Amino acid sequence: MQYTEKVMDHFKNPRNVGEIKDASGVGEVGNPVCGDMMTFYVKIEDNIVKDVKFKTFGCGAAIAVSSIVTEMAIGKTIDEALKITKAMVAQELDGLPPNKMHCSNLGADALHKAIEDYLNKQKKG
Ligand code: FES
């Protein structure tokens, strides 16, 4: 299976690349098999994901996944963003080759981790 046009678009022109200096939460994930790494930064205000940025050191699919996940998460409530699954990510990209499905996993995981980091900080006060 080839990459879809949407994957190629997000790979060539990734949205929301970078870092949020005063991020509400940061999530880092890696895949020990391929060695790819992904860091997500979230800005949360009044229970809404206001901004998401990412830094990904990985394959083309991982970059496209990171980019689309930022677009999917921005504007959502925390609960909605936590419900974003790898299947939704792959669907949003009009599909990923089967051997690249783990890349979509990383994107959802990194987002969830960044939000959980924020929630943990809130608990600690
Ligand atoms: Fe591992 Fe894509 S090959 S994240």
Side-chain angles (χ1 to χ4, degrees):
M1 183 178 158
Q2 290 285 323
Y3 286 129
T4 63
E5 262 176 50
K6 212 153 174 196
V7 173
M8 289 313 290
D9 175 35
H10 279 268
F11 169 55
K12 287 186 190 152
N13 307 294
R15 331 296 198 256
N16 303 307
V17 177
E19 202 173 310
I20 299 176
K21 288 273 176 257
D22 54 343
S24 317
V26 180
E28 194 177 45
V29 293
N31 182 305
V33 178
C34 63
D36 290 358
M37 300 278 302
M38 215 177 253
T39 309
F40 264 62
Y41 303 82
V42 291
K43 184 88 198 153
I44 296 173
E45 276 166 32
D46 301 328
N47 212 36
I48 302 286
V49 180
K50 292 277 182 191
D51 199 11
V52 187
K53 291 214 182 316
F54 75 90
K55 282 205 273 188
T56 292
F57 185 75
C59 72
I63 291 167
V65 160
S66 310
S67 170
I68 200 96
V69 168
T70 63
E71 286 196 335
M72 288 168 79
I74 292 172
K76 291 224 166 39
T77 64
I78 290 179
D79 282 351
E80 287 166 344
L82 284 173
K83 284 191 190 125
I84 295 174
T85 62
K86 60 177 178 178
M88 286 159 77
V89 174
Q91 197 181 351
E92 197 70 23
L93 286 167
D94 298 330
L96 276 171
N99 63 343
K100 289 285 171 184
M101 282 306 289
H102 79 272
C103 317
S104 63
N105 226 342
L106 277 187
D109 283 355
L111 172 71
H112 297 167
K113 245 183 151 174
I115 295 174
E116 277 154 21
D117 181 41
Y118 162 75
L119 293 173
N120 285 336
K121 281 185 193 154
Q122 296 297 101
K123 272 189 228 146
K124 284 183 203 141

